């Protein structure tokens, strides 16, 4: 009985060993079939015949050797507007953001009393002018009268001389000479009196002119005081935030607003001393938004400081930017890129880069072998058979140029690379260009693998 039981146990173990061996053989056969089908381009049942991807030829473009710095723009023309007099704001002529020209009114400060004073000063100046004109006319009349008296005196002198000669010859009586002498003396006295009147008239005119000058000075002062009540723009520019409103009381220390001219702006940059030898006047400087995506303007280096900041060991550099479209503003934070040099190089989109084990690769479209490509009869009806495979190609990258990387080695211009769908690829995977299939690649919205 014991012998029979032992025999049965040995038979059972043998059967299990045989069954296990058959199972191992089946698994090995299945693995070999899977390996063969995979080598045929995943053409078996349930496996995709190819991965849909987007292809692009490798392009060449401008490659910049550049450095980026943060800075703040500063307008070259700007004023802080303050009143010349104290008073209450009675009128506001502009709004924040308005464009103004030199001399354009901004606000009016309580002008009523000043206007009355200016009117009175104007009237006084007009009266003084009338007095001066009257004095001048009187003087002119006296001067004309003097000319007549001088002529009369000359006539009397001639008459006296003639009478005196005739009397000496006995042709006329002494009485005639006395009459001639009297007329001469009267003419002389009249002329002397006229000359005194002229002197007085001249003094009166001088006084009238002095009074007019004083009245005109008072008028000018009153007009200036009235003008000071109207705060005007000293420069052309854009009005900033208004710090006052109608009815506010302001003094000479009150800041009404700022006026800024953004037609040209300047950027201060602190450049490390290690890059001092690369600096040159006129080097292009590109302004980017803080996000670094959009180029706002291009200018050039206009100033390089001859000395180094002892605390930061940097060199002050200024770059000037024209702003005809008004896209830049005073005090705007920007990212500035100094372009040291510019060459032509090979560029690939960032989405085409994949990283494996710390190395960078791209997938190049390559003609596949018969073992890599699925047979035509394995394709679904209406779908073309893949003719290319994605070949993993190591590349050496340079600096990022916008949305592209510079490729230093590993690719040449004109080669075709995969730019989307790379997350579904391995070296040798059959690919179908997107234009030959329907729908976008499966991972079109995904970034590069890492």
């Amino acid at each position: 009985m014991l012998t029979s039981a032992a025999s049965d146990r040995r038979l059972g173990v043998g059967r299990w060993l045989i069954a296990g061996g058959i199972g191992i053989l089946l698994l090995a056969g299945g693995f070999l079939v899977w390996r063969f089908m995979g080598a045929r381009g995943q053409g078996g049942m349930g496996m995709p015949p190819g991965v849909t991807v987007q292809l692009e030829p490798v392009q060449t473009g401008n490659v910049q050797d550049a450095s980026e710095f943060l800075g703040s723009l500063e307008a070259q023309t700007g004023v802080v507007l303050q009143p010349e007099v104290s008073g209450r704001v009675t009128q506001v002529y502009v709004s924040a953001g308005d464009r103004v020209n030199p001399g354009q009114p901004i606000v009016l400060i309580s002008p009523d009393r000043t206007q009355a004073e200016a009117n009175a000063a104007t009237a006084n100046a007009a009266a003084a002018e009338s007095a001066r004109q009257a004095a001048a006319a009187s003087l002119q009349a006296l001067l004309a009268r003097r000319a007549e008296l001088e002529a009369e005196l000359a006539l009397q002198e001639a008459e006296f001389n003639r009478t005196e000669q005739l009397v000496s010859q006995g042709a006329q009586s002494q009485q005639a000479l006395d009459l001639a002498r009297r007329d001469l003396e009267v003419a002389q006295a009249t002329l002397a009196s006229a000359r005194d009147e002229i002197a007085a008239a001249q003094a009166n005119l001088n006084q009238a002119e002095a009074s007019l000058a004083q009245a005109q000075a008072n008028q000018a002062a009153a007009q200036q005081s009235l003008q000071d009540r109207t705060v005007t723009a000293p420069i052309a520019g854009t009005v900033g935030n208004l710090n006052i409103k109608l009815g506010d009381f302001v003094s000479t220390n009150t800041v009404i607003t700022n006026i800024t001219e953004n037609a040209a702006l300047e950027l201060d940059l602190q450049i490390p001393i290690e890059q001092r030898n690369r600096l040159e006047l006129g080097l292009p400087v590109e302004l980017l938004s803080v996000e670094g995506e959009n180029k706002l303007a291009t200018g050039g280096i206009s100033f390089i400081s001859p000395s180094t900041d002892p605390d930061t060991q940097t060199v002050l550099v200024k770059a000037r930017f024209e702003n005809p479209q008004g896209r830049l503003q005073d005090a705007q934070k920007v990212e500035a890129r100094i372009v040291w040099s510019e060459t032509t190089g090979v560029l690939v989109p960032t989405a085409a880069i994949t990283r494996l084990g710390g190395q960078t690769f791209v997938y190049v479209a390559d003609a596949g072998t018969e073992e890599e490509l699925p047979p035509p009869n394995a394709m679904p009806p209406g779908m073309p058979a893949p003719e290319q495979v994605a070949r993993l190609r190591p590349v050496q990258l340079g600096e990022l140029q916008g949305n592209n990387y510079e490729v230093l080695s590993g690719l040449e211009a004109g080669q075709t690379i995969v730019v989307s769908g790379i997350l579904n690829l391995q070296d040798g995977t059959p690919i179908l260009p997107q234009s030959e299939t329907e729908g976008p690649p499966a991972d079109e919205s995904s970034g590069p693998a890492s």
Side-chain angles (χ1 to χ4, degrees):
M1 292 294 296
L2 291 175
T3 303
S4 176
S7 175
D8 290 342
R9 283 196 299 271
R10 284 195 297 270
L11 288 174
V13 171
R15 292 191 190 99
W16 282 109
L17 289 174
I18 293 172
I22 294 173
I24 292 173
L25 290 175
L26 290 175
L27 289 174
F31 175 75
L32 292 174
V33 171
W34 177 81
R35 289 284 294 178
F36 173 76
M37 294 304 293
R40 296 292 296 175
Q42 301 176 348
M45 296 298 294
M47 300 297 291
V51 176
T52 302
V53 297
Q54 185 177 357
L55 303 178
E56 284 185 7
V58 175
Q59 304 288 337
T60 59
N62 291 333
V63 177
Q64 295 179 341
D65 177 12
S67 301
E68 295 182 353
F69 304 89
L70 291 178
S72 179
L73 293 171
E74 181 180 357
Q76 295 304 287
T77 305
V79 295
V80 177
L81 207 57
Q82 294 176 275
E84 297 289 339
V85 295
S86 300
R88 199 164 297 280
V89 176
T90 58
Q91 193 165 354
V92 179
Y93 297 102
V94 298
S95 300
D98 285 353
R99 181 79 183 175
V100 294
N101 296 315
Q104 184 171 336
I106 305 298
V107 297
L108 181 63
I109 302 173
S110 51
D112 294 343
R113 180 179 175 183
T114 308
Q115 182 66 63
E117 293 172 349
N119 293 341
T122 300
N124 291 337
E129 173 63 23
S130 298
R132 188 200 68 81
Q133 291 177 359
S138 177
L139 177 61
Q140 289 299 321
L142 290 173
L143 291 174
R145 175 62 177 163
R146 183 184 64 177
E148 295 176 358
L149 294 175
E150 288 175 345
E152 179 66 22
L153 176 61
L155 179 61
Q156 294 300 327
E157 287 176 344
E159 181 63 23
F160 175 78
N161 292 333
R162 185 181 65 82
T163 302
E164 186 178 33
Q165 185 178 3
L166 290 174
V167 170
S168 65
Q169 296 175 355
Q172 283 189 341
S173 65
Q174 182 64 37
Q175 184 179 4
L177 181 61
D178 293 339
L179 291 174
R181 181 180 286 110
R182 183 199 65 185
D183 293 339
L184 176 60
E185 291 174 353
V186 169
Q188 290 174 339
T190 303
L191 180 58
S193 176
R195 285 172 175 168
D196 291 341
E197 291 179 357
I198 289 173
Q202 183 65 59
N204 186 37
L205 177 60
N206 293 341
Q207 180 62 38
E209 288 178 343
S211 298
L212 175 60
Q214 182 62 46
Q216 289 176 337
N218 294 339
Q219 181 187 20
Q223 290 292 340
Q224 184 61 50
S225 179
L226 181 62
Q227 291 177 4
D228 289 342
R229 298 285 174 178
T230 302
V231 181
T232 60
I235 62 171
T238 302
V239 178
N241 184 47
L242 287 169
N243 302 317
I244 52 88
K245 61 182 181 298
L246 194 65
D248 283 354
F249 184 86
V250 296
S251 68
T252 55
N253 295 324
T254 303
V255 175
I256 295 176
T257 186
N258 295 325
I259 298 180
T260 304
E261 177 55 88
N262 284 333
L265 298 103
E266 199 169 64
L267 178 68
D268 288 355
L269 298 174
Q270 299 293 337
I271 308 302
I273 188 62
E274 293 80 7
Q275 295 180 302
R276 171 64 180 85
N277 293 335
R278 305 183 73 184
L279 292 171
E280 296 179 6
L281 291 175
L283 270 180
V285 181
E286 298 177 349
L287 287 188
L288 309 176
S289 60
V290 175
E291 298 80 8
E293 298 179 356
N294 301 319
K295 184 163 72 172
L296 303 177
T298 300
I301 293 179
S302 57
F303 169 80
I304 302 173
S305 175
S307 58
T308 301
D309 188 314
D311 297 326
T312 62
Q313 288 299 291
T314 57
V315 178
L316 173 63
V317 170
K318 294 180 181 289
R320 184 177 176 84
F321 299 88
E322 300 299 326
N323 189 30
Q325 299 179 349
R327 299 178 63 188
L328 307 176
Q329 290 188 322
D330 182 41
Q332 179 180 355
K333 296 291 185 182
V334 292
E335 184 174 308
R337 177 190 293 144
I338 297 180
V339 182
W340 308 109
S341 63
E342 194 167 2
T343 58
T344 301
V346 176
L347 300 175
V348 297
T350 55
I353 302 298
T354 187
R355 303 179 191 276
L356 298 172
Q359 301 295 317
T360 52
F361 299 85
V362 296
Y363 284 103
V364 177
D366 191 22
T369 64
E370 182 178 355
E371 290 75 16
E372 292 173 321
L373 297 174
N377 57 11
M379 302 304 299
M383 178 174 288
E387 298 179 354
Q388 295 174 304
V389 297
R391 195 74 69 196
L392 200 60
R393 179 74 55 84
V395 291
Q396 182 183 357
L397 301 181
E399 296 295 327
L400 186 65
Q401 308 287 324
N403 294 323
N404 299 310
Y405 271 110
E406 178 191 8
V407 177
L408 302 179
S409 63
L411 278 181
E412 296 181 358
Q415 290 182 296
T416 303
I417 60 173
V418 180
V419 297
S420 68
I422 63 175
L423 294 181
N424 298 325
L425 298 180
Q426 294 181 356
D427 187 37
T429 300
I431 56 175
L432 292 169
Q434 184 177 351
S435 58
E436 299 181 8
T437 62
E438 295 183 359
D443 66 335
E444 186 176 14
S445 61
S446 303
S450 59

